[in-house]
Amino acid sequence: MSQPPVTTLDVRSAMEGAGALVRRSRPGEGVPEPFGRQFQSSAALLLVVERGELTVRVQRQEVALRAPGALLVRSGVTVSGWDGRSSDYWMVLIEAGLAEHIGTVEGLPMEVARNFDAFRDVMADLDEPLGLGSATAQRLGFLLRELALELEDRDSGFRMATRSLLALILVQLRRQQQLQMSREFSQDHVLFSEVLDYIDRHFDRPLEMGEIADAVGRSPAHLTTLLRRSTGKTLLGWVTDRRMAEARRLLVETSVPVAEIATRVGYGSPSYFTRVFGRHVGESPARFRSRNRRRVR
């Protein structure tokens, strides 16, 4: 099979307005247009390295891609510091309308069409560049070579072939995102258990968010983001929940004064504890105790 010529392939011309811009760069070439040394696009960027090594800076993070390797970057992210003079790699701009456009192709199985809906969610949730692994990079490289040949030859049926190849590329990206989500869920579950364990052991004293984050090896902002994404609740919310659970127990099962309960659950100010309790439970500690007094032994 002949090698595709080194040109920029505007897939939009074959997709009637919605598609992708594909460019292959071979060893010794500079960074091709329209990418430039510093590049920011309204489209997602897919990089696939087939030979050698490509180094780029994504925002402030330097990323080295060794063949076979691939990286997916969401739209709006600045990519700069390109160094791939000794490598053979693909750059693909994936427009937001591509998935929807392919999904409207007549006769496309509904299951495949749903992958394109999911792809839009992938790009919306992609906070960090997504590394795609060597096996996926090899598959993507093959699909891109086939795509380049179809667009160059433009034989009968090339539009349908182009759509099919782009569909397969999006399916590969969707599969990798699902795998990444599964890994992150497992990691987040372990992290969540560590956080709850630390809160359970230390909620009875003043507790800073930075202290909890340090204990589990995360920054406060990152930890709060992970917890909110996984549980819908912030780090402070989980601390407050644990304190309020203990406060309710003490109010119901003991006659300990409210001021002392405030201290036992980590609040230095009884009045502040009362305000937090009221917001959390819907009534004051005294009222809560009065309603449940019959349960005190």
Side-chain angles (χ1 to χ4, degrees), residues 178-196:
Q178 288 176 319
L179 179 61
Q180 180 73 8
M181 285 182 62
S182 176
R183 290 171 178 165
E184 288 180 356
F185 178 81
S186 178
Q187 293 169 354
D188 290 353
H189 181 73
V190 173
L191 177 65
F192 183 47
S193 297
E194 292 176 354
V195 169
L196 289 186

Side-chain angles (χ1 to χ4, degrees), residues 84-193:
R85 287 166 292 183
S86 61
S87 63
D88 185 348
Y89 62 97
W90 296 89
M91 294 155 288
V92 185
L93 292 180
I94 305 173
E95 296 180 347
L98 174 62
E100 183 175 353
H101 187 76
I102 298 177
T104 62
V105 174
E106 185 176 355
L108 191 71
M110 184 61 67
E111 182 179 350
V112 177
R114 281 196 293 267
N115 270 285
F116 304 137
D117 292 331
F119 180 76
R120 288 192 292 271
D121 297 334
V122 171
M123 299 315 302
D125 295 338
L126 193 62
D127 295 326
E128 300 290 335
L130 178 62
L132 302 176
S134 59
T136 299
Q138 289 175 323
R139 295 189 191 102
L140 290 171
F142 169 77
L143 293 171
L144 287 167
R145 289 194 299 274
E146 291 296 311
L147 179 64
L149 288 171
E150 287 292 341
L151 290 170
E152 285 299 315
D153 295 341
R154 292 180 177 256
D155 290 335
S156 175
F158 87 96
R159 292 183 188 277
M160 182 57 71
T162 297
R163 290 190 178 100
S164 299
L165 289 164
L166 288 170
L168 288 171
I169 288 171
L170 293 189
V171 167
Q172 287 295 324
L173 297 180
R174 171 58 175 162
R175 285 174 177 171
Q176 285 299 301
Q177 189 265 349
Q178 288 176 319
L179 179 61
Q180 180 73 8
M181 285 182 62
S182 176
R183 290 171 178 165
E184 288 180 356
F185 178 81
S186 178
Q187 293 169 354
D188 290 353
H189 181 73
V190 173
L191 177 65
F192 183 47
S193 297

Side-chain angles (χ1 to χ4, degrees), residues 2 38 40 45 69 73 90 96 109 114 146 167 173 182 185 195 199 228 233 237 268 286 294:
S2 62
Q38 180 165 309
Q40 186 179 52
L45 174 64
V73 182
W90 296 89
R114 281 196 293 267
E146 291 296 311
L173 297 180
S182 176
F185 178 81
V195 169
I199 291 172
R228 184 184 288 117
K233 191 176 298 184
R294 64 183 181 277

Side-chain angles (χ1 to χ4, degrees), residues 4-278:
V6 184
T7 56
T8 298
L9 304 170
D10 190 348
V11 186
R12 289 169 294 192
S13 62
M15 294 292 292
E16 300 172 351
L21 195 64
V22 180
R23 179 63 161 87
R24 187 174 193 175
S25 181
R26 295 185 183 278
E29 296 183 349
V31 180
E33 295 295 337
F35 296 90
R37 284 294 171 186
Q38 180 165 309
F39 173 74
Q40 186 179 52
S41 173
S42 58
L45 174 64
L46 172 65
L47 298 173
V48 180
V49 181
E50 294 208 85
R51 285 197 296 273
E53 178 176 317
L54 170 67
T55 302
V56 295
R57 184 172 294 277
V58 181
Q59 300 290 56
R60 298 182 179 180
Q61 176 186 356
E62 187 171 281
V63 179
L65 280 177
R66 296 178 179 84
L71 187 74
L72 181 63
V73 182
R74 67 174 174 82
S75 61
V77 172
T78 299
V79 181
S80 60
W82 300 76
D83 185 2
R85 287 166 292 183
S86 61
S87 63
D88 185 348
Y89 62 97
W90 296 89
M91 294 155 288
V92 185
L93 292 180
I94 305 173
E95 296 180 347
L98 174 62
E100 183 175 353
H101 187 76
I102 298 177
T104 62
V105 174
E106 185 176 355
L108 191 71
M110 184 61 67
E111 182 179 350
V112 177
R114 281 196 293 267
N115 270 285
F116 304 137
D117 292 331
F119 180 76
R120 288 192 292 271
D121 297 334
V122 171
M123 299 315 302
D125 295 338
L126 193 62
D127 295 326
E128 300 290 335
L130 178 62
L132 302 176
S134 59
T136 299
Q138 289 175 323
R139 295 189 191 102
L140 290 171
F142 169 77
L143 293 171
L144 287 167
R145 289 194 299 274
E146 291 296 311
L147 179 64
L149 288 171
E150 287 292 341
L151 290 170
E152 285 299 315
D153 295 341
R154 292 180 177 256
D155 290 335
S156 175
F158 87 96
R159 292 183 188 277
M160 182 57 71
T162 297
R163 290 190 178 100
S164 299
L165 289 164
L166 288 170
L168 288 171
I169 288 171
L170 293 189
V171 167
Q172 287 295 324
L173 297 180
R174 171 58 175 162
R175 285 174 177 171
Q176 285 299 301
Q177 189 265 349
Q178 288 176 319
L179 179 61
Q180 180 73 8
M181 285 182 62
S182 176
R183 290 171 178 165
E184 288 180 356
F185 178 81
S186 178
Q187 293 169 354
D188 290 353
H189 181 73
V190 173
L191 177 65
F192 183 47
S193 297
E194 292 176 354
V195 169
L196 289 186
D197 180 64
Y198 193 87
I199 291 172
D200 196 55
R201 288 184 285 113
H202 300 285
F203 74 89
D204 58 347
R205 60 174 176 78
L207 196 55
E208 297 291 335
M209 300 302 102
E211 176 188 340
I212 302 173
D214 287 344
V216 297
R218 299 290 193 279
S219 71
H222 186 208
L223 182 57
T224 289
T225 298
L226 288 175
L227 288 176
R228 184 184 288 117
R229 183 183 66 189
S230 300
T231 69
K233 191 176 298 184
T234 65
L235 180 56
L236 178 59
W238 282 106
V239 173
T240 302
D241 277 359
R242 182 63 184 91
R243 286 172 167 169
M244 293 301 103
E246 179 65 8
R248 288 195 300 270
R249 186 189 72 80
L250 292 172
L251 287 167
V252 170
E253 297 180 3
T254 76
S255 297
V256 174
V258 170
E260 185 176 338
I261 290 176
T263 301
R264 288 192 185 187
V265 297
Y267 293 99
S269 167
S271 61
Y272 180 64
F273 162 71
T274 297
R275 289 198 301 274
V276 174
F277 190 93

Side-chain angles (χ1 to χ4, degrees), residues 277-292:
F277 190 93
R279 288 197 301 266
H280 198 84
V281 180
E283 59 186 344
S284 69
R287 173 62 179 162
F288 179 85
R289 168 172 273 172
S290 176
R291 285 197 310 104
N292 294 277

